[in-house]
Amino acid sequence: MSDSSNAPVAIEAAGLADFVAGALGREPAGQIAVVELGDPLRVYLADIPEGRHGSARSSAFARAFIGDIAGMRATGRGQRDVALLIYARDGHGLKDVRPYNALWLNLLVVCKQRGLNVVASQFIIPTQWWGLPSIGETGPGTPRAAARQTADGGPAVGAKGVADVVADAVRAFARELEAGHEAAKRSLKPLLAAVLTGRRDVEDLSDQEAVRLLLAVQNGDILYAASTYCEPEEVKRAAPLWSRVARLCVDPYRRMAAAPLTLLGIALLLDGDVPAAAGAAFLALEVKPGDEEAQVLLGLVFRAELEQVVRAPVSVAEALRAALREDREE
């Protein structure tokens, strides 16, 4: 790990990635920069660990790296605000973001545990950056070079645009519910099944379809039905789906994110990524304190963490998958 100190400077989120690269005199590809936004501002660097980013090795890396930072004297008074900047390895782009997102969740969880307040999280390549999926992020993010397009071929979506999409879908869905509640619910199950069984790609979903899934899983029955897609390949599709759906929850729809975040956490737990599942559960409870489903997920996460310590013979993930599989078959 290395660090560098600089004179106090006010930096907007859109300028963080370029500021760090400029301060270092290079693009720190394959590294993580933690920027402590104090007085003075300080930058800590570490190489991204090799191997699967959601692995136990990655979790140990996050504890060591963030623990070292938390143990240093704060650069300001009061709350310690930091930004997490993940610079992709050479040749990687937005299509490769999933393992980096798992690494980010490990870092986020440890930051919360060590009293560091994460105010910005970014996935960065030399020409663009994207906000990692924390609540309030609105999609692919702001391109670092204004003349360049975002990964979807168009300008980045602003928070107001996302809120408008959600509002339109809420109104349309409300009209469907008035016309026939059960019929409206049933109409969404085929879409959910198509995505999680691989007949539709997550990337092909329109924002309107993603919002309909967001609205659907606010219903407890559909939320539970969504969790029963628990087979290994279904789980790998579920994680990017629910991550995308949660990112739609900008104000005033922030609390709605608890449901997709809980489903994201279930998928991550079933995939064996306990730290990332914890991160999703903590985020769900942050946006909706006391949410029952998120609390159940967090309980399973704690059991899984204990299982790793005592090497229990029965895996929490295996037991959960068996229970969900049985309910799906009924």
Side-chain angles (χ1 to χ4, degrees), residues 274-319:
V274 177
F282 283 131
L283 284 174
L285 289 169
E286 180 180 319
V287 299
K288 191 176 180 182
D291 183 78
E292 292 183 6
E293 288 80 9
Q295 288 178 328
V296 170
L297 169 62
L298 195 57
L300 290 171
V301 167
F302 288 154
R303 286 180 57 192
E305 290 175 338
L306 179 63
E307 164 196 302
Q308 292 179 343
V309 174
V310 302
R311 300 184 183 277
V314 178
S315 163
V316 169
E318 290 175 1

Side-chain angles (χ1 to χ4, degrees), residues 103-124:
L103 173 61
W104 165 75
L105 280 169
N106 277 306
L107 294 166
L108 179 70
V109 169
V110 180
C111 281
K112 285 179 177 291
Q113 293 170 343
R114 299 305 301 268
L116 302 179
N117 180 47
V118 179
V119 298
S121 301
Q122 296 174 6
F123 174 66
I124 302 157

Side-chain angles (χ1 to χ4, degrees), residues 25-321:
R26 62 182 175 85
E27 185 82 5
Q31 291 190 302
I32 298 163
V34 176
V35 183
E36 185 167 0
L37 304 171
D39 182 5
L41 181 145
R42 183 176 290 161
V43 179
Y44 305 90
L45 287 174
D47 292 336
I48 293 174
E50 297 291 338
R52 187 170 179 264
H53 297 167
S55 66
R57 180 180 178 184
S58 179
S59 180
F61 161 79
R63 290 195 299 271
F65 180 36
I66 301 302
D68 285 347
I69 296 171
M72 297 186 70
R73 184 176 180 180
T75 62
R77 295 180 179 179
Q79 181 172 270
R80 297 182 71 177
D81 291 337
V82 299
L84 300 179
L85 308 182
I86 299 181
Y87 289 81
R89 292 191 173 96
D90 289 335
H92 281 191
L94 188 60
K95 62 180 175 58
D96 307 295
V97 74
R98 186 185 177 201
Y100 291 96
N101 180 51
L103 173 61
W104 165 75
L105 280 169
N106 277 306
L107 294 166
L108 179 70
V109 169
V110 180
C111 281
K112 285 179 177 291
Q113 293 170 343
R114 299 305 301 268
L116 302 179
N117 180 47
V118 179
V119 298
S121 301
Q122 296 174 6
F123 174 66
I124 302 157
I125 64 173
T127 57
Q128 295 171 276
W129 67 266
W130 297 267
L132 285 162
S134 55
I135 299 307
E137 297 288 0
T138 58
T142 304
R144 292 177 60 196
R148 294 183 182 270
Q149 294 181 318
T150 54
D152 62 1
V157 179
K160 185 176 185 300
V162 173
D164 287 344
V165 169
V166 178
D168 289 344
V170 168
R171 286 190 289 268
F173 195 62
R175 289 192 293 270
E176 291 181 32
L177 291 176
E178 289 175 3
H181 181 71
E182 290 302 319
K185 286 169 52 179
R186 286 195 300 270
S187 71
L188 292 167
K189 289 186 177 179
L191 175 61
L192 179 65
V195 176
L196 295 179
T197 58
R199 299 194 304 275
R200 287 281 304 275
D201 289 333
V202 174
E203 293 79 7
D204 292 339
L205 287 180
S206 67
D207 284 341
Q208 288 75 14
E209 288 175 313
V211 174
R212 288 176 66 81
L213 290 177
L214 168 66
L215 296 170
V217 296
Q218 304 305 309
N219 178 283
D221 292 342
I222 298 182
L223 175 68
Y224 188 75
S227 72
T228 63
Y229 288 87
C230 57
E231 302 303 331
E233 288 305 313
E234 294 170 345
V235 163
K236 292 186 183 303
R237 298 184 193 101
L241 171 65
W242 300 123
S243 179
R244 177 183 172 185
V245 169
R247 289 199 299 273
L248 294 168
C249 298
V250 298
D251 287 334
Y253 304 103
R254 196 168 182 263
R255 283 171 58 86
M256 284 181 149
L261 284 169
T262 298
L263 289 167
L264 171 62
I266 291 170
L268 292 167
L269 181 62
L270 290 172
D271 200 33
D273 194 342
V274 177
F282 283 131
L283 284 174
L285 289 169
E286 180 180 319
V287 299
K288 191 176 180 182
D291 183 78
E292 292 183 6
E293 288 80 9
Q295 288 178 328
V296 170
L297 169 62
L298 195 57
L300 290 171
V301 167
F302 288 154
R303 286 180 57 192
E305 290 175 338
L306 179 63
E307 164 196 302
Q308 292 179 343
V309 174
V310 302
R311 300 184 183 277
V314 178
S315 163
V316 169
E318 290 175 1
L320 176 60
R321 177 175 280 114

